[in-house]
Amino acid sequence: MTSRRNDIDAAVHIRSVRRCHLERSGLDSVTVAVHLLVETGDAPGWDAAIDEEDWAA
């Protein structure tokens, strides 16, 4: 279970870094979300399974 949590933490970190990079480049929130959806296959914060893992932004 710890390994899975570490994998989730690593994925969240990578997405957070990418999100910050996109926001610093001047993109608005919707455009950032679309970029992350295209790049990762998941829309940030819109996955109901995140709540089951006690994840908070």
Side-chain angles (χ1 to χ4, degrees), residues 15-27:
R15 277 190 259 177
S16 297
V17 169
R18 182 64 178 142
R19 179 179 177 182
C20 288
H21 174 78
L22 292 169
E23 288 176 344
R24 279 194 317 261
S25 68
L27 299 177

Side-chain angles (χ1 to χ4, degrees), residues 10-53:
V12 168
H13 174 72
I14 290 169
R15 277 190 259 177
S16 297
V17 169
R18 182 64 178 142
R19 179 179 177 182
C20 288
H21 174 78
L22 292 169
E23 288 176 344
R24 279 194 317 261
S25 68
L27 299 177
D28 62 277
S29 300
V30 173
T31 306
V32 169
V34 171
H35 273 274
L36 291 175
L37 176 62
V38 169
E39 293 174 9
T40 66
D42 289 324
W46 298 338
D47 184 4
I50 290 175
D51 292 335
E52 294 171 11
E53 296 294 330

